[in-house]
Amino acid sequence: MAPTLGSYTSLPDGTLRHVHPITGTEVWAVPSRALRPFVNRQTIPPKVLPRQEREDHCDFCETNYLRTPPERARLVRTAQGRFELLERLDPDSVKFSKASFRRLANLFEIVTYDYWVQNHQVTLSPTQARWKKNYLENPKGLSHVQELMRTKLALAGKPSGEIDALLLAPPEGFYDWFFGGTHEVLAAGRHFRPGADRDDQLFYSGEMTPEEHAAYLNFALEAALDIRSNNGKIRYVAIFQNWLKAAGASFDHLHKQVIGMDQWGPGVEARLQKAKGYPNIFNEALVDFSAEKDLIVAENDHGVVLSEIGHPYPTLAVYSKSRAAHPWDHSSEEIRGISDLVHACHAAAGPQVPCNEAWFYAPWGSPTRFPWHILIHWRTVTSAGFEADTQIFVNPVPPAAFKEQITSKLSDLRSRGRISNLRLGKEMTLKPSPLLYNRA
């Protein structure tokens, strides 16, 4: 049985209807709605930034290392230009190096440590228990976690007297979530780009060099593996990035989130079911179909970028060409190739476009394979009552128009040496079914 290819239908009035072949999401691009502003506009003039040797703009900034939970890992740039990994820092060493990226517990977890304790009887692993013991035996470490816990409990509405009593005689496991929780934040070392003099000159994914972005992407992969290695009940690790408040970010300071889960949710399940019924569907219904409709944005030796149909927001989809379906089974060259494409997509968006970066891969142990891919949604469209009622989404930007816009930006960025080399337009060498995930 052949797969149902994505629907992509133009009507006489100019309306374009398109349906995603995996999720079934239906989207309309209505010409009159395209007159609305596409990219969110700044309504407040940018402010001049004070000159600072060390940034102090939010809790993730360099001067505020101890206003965030204990660091599970840090990437530091060496004098030779390499990235050095420091793991499970102690409170005395936090300020001795300048972090390029930091990994720490999320103060407000989605999947809480208590969830694992109560539902799965999880305890700290030996590695986590040793780190906790060493950290709390240091007076600076104990003071650090006490102050953070005071803040967390106060925000939860606990009276100060109750908080004082808890900190004076903490119950067993009171601080365990700092060291064993499965919801982590991977924060960039900078808030604004180097040399910034205005508060709209934020440090975002596209501001990095390709080498920095590759280090950041690998940092996320390593974090996911470490979370899973310390909790045997984890079946999937969600990896995503929300950029700017309109995309759900609490801070306009670049960060990814990594969350260990005991299930993988309907998004991954839909992909598994489609691939189980027709293993080559990601090639035929997405990449080959996109090539037929001229919706391929770019490629390199290891991946391809689509202006993908069937999304409520303008969406760039980066698909791995690798035979390995699992990101941790990719070679270092393949991972770098995907990183370069994702980095280029963010650079094309610029710092003022709110976007979500969402990763998809086949869960550990799954017999069904689908390609590792990363979706970058531009959150420039707001769904409202029509979408809630009909489950038909209005995205005023047709995929073809979005493809042309991004291709033009990528061409300019490439000419200025801002992104790693990739192939555009007639330079592309794609053959039918270029994704090799189902040929292992």
Side-chain angles (χ1 to χ4, degrees), residues 7-196:
S7 171
Y8 194 76
T9 306
S10 294
L11 304 181
D13 75 324
T15 296
L16 174 68
R17 293 179 178 175
H18 49 107
V19 178
H20 196 279
I22 305 296
T23 66
T25 302
E26 182 171 351
V27 181
W28 291 4
V30 182
S32 63
R33 298 292 284 184
L35 301 176
R36 303 173 79 205
F38 176 33
V39 175
N40 288 359
R41 301 290 192 255
Q42 284 278 7
T43 57
I44 302 173
K47 296 179 181 178
V48 175
L49 288 174
R51 291 194 176 275
Q52 292 180 314
E53 184 177 340
R54 299 168 66 208
E55 290 185 316
D56 183 16
H57 307 287
C58 76
D59 285 353
F60 289 163
C61 284
E62 181 184 0
T63 55
N64 299 322
Y65 284 162
L66 292 178
R67 283 169 59 178
T68 56
E71 286 187 41
R72 298 178 178 181
R74 170 184 292 197
L75 280 184
V76 176
R77 199 73 178 260
T78 68
Q80 294 74 33
R82 297 190 299 271
F83 286 95
E84 180 183 359
L85 177 67
L86 308 178
E87 295 187 275
R88 296 181 172 84
L89 277 70
D90 64 64
D92 291 316
S93 62
V94 166
K95 294 187 177 182
F96 288 166
S97 62
K98 183 179 178 66
S100 293
F101 304 102
R102 304 167 65 224
R103 178 184 154 211
L104 39 95
N106 192 310
L107 201 58
F108 303 98
E109 302 164 292
I110 293 175
V111 181
T112 66
Y113 183 72
D114 192 53
Y115 176 96
W116 294 105
V117 172
Q118 297 296 325
N119 298 325
H120 294 287
Q121 294 72 56
V122 165
T123 59
L124 293 180
S125 72
T127 299
Q128 293 167 337
R130 282 194 300 273
W131 182 38
K132 174 194 168 186
K133 180 177 183 293
N134 293 337
Y135 205 90
L136 297 185
E137 285 179 349
N138 185 316
K140 292 180 183 177
L142 179 60
S143 175
H144 177 209
V145 297
Q146 285 177 331
E147 287 306 306
L148 286 172
M149 189 63 88
R150 182 181 296 278
T151 298
K152 183 178 174 70
L153 294 175
L155 289 171
K158 276 201 176 294
S160 59
E162 287 187 28
I163 296 173
D164 290 340
L166 282 169
L167 295 179
L168 186 63
E172 182 71 24
F174 189 59
Y175 297 119
D176 283 2
W177 70 273
F178 283 113
F179 306 94
T182 67
H183 185 170
E184 298 188 348
V185 171
L186 277 58
R190 300 195 61 87
H191 192 111
F192 294 100
R193 72 189 193 196

Side-chain angles (χ1 to χ4, degrees), residues 228-297:
R228 182 172 180 254
S229 72
N230 285 286
N231 183 333
K233 300 296 184 179
I234 287 175
R235 302 178 70 198
Y236 192 78
V237 179
I239 303 174
F240 60 95
Q241 176 176 294
N242 303 329
W243 174 242
L244 301 180
K245 288 183 173 63
S250 300
F251 291 104
D252 288 347
H253 186 126
L254 180 64
H255 61 282
K256 293 187 190 299
Q257 297 187 60
V258 182
I259 306 179
M261 303 170 63
D262 59 358
Q263 61 181 41
W264 45 77
V268 171
E269 184 63 28
R271 287 161 170 80
L272 288 171
Q273 291 303 317
K274 289 286 187 178
K276 182 178 180 180
Y278 200 100
N280 203 40
I281 191 170
F282 282 86
N283 272 310
E284 295 185 25
L286 283 166
V287 180
D288 295 349
F289 183 84
S290 295
E292 176 190 333
K293 300 299 182 182
D294 195 21
L295 300 177
I296 306 289
V297 176

Side-chain angles (χ1 to χ4, degrees), residues 295-330:
L295 300 177
I296 306 289
V297 176
E299 67 154 348
N300 61 20
D301 289 347
H302 302 295
V304 57
V305 183
L306 318 180
S307 175
E308 193 162 277
I309 67 171
H311 291 284
Y313 315 104
T315 297
L316 296 171
V318 179
Y319 284 89
S320 168
K321 296 178 182 178
S322 176
R323 291 180 181 273
H326 206 282
W328 293 275
D329 293 333
H330 282 51

Side-chain angles (χ1 to χ4, degrees), residues 33 36-38 40 246 312-314 354 378-383 387 393-397:
R33 298 292 284 184
R36 303 173 79 205
F38 176 33
N40 288 359
Y313 315 104
W378 284 28
R379 294 295 298 275
T380 53
V381 180
T382 301
S383 298
E387 290 84 355
F393 294 87
V394 179
N395 175 356
V397 184

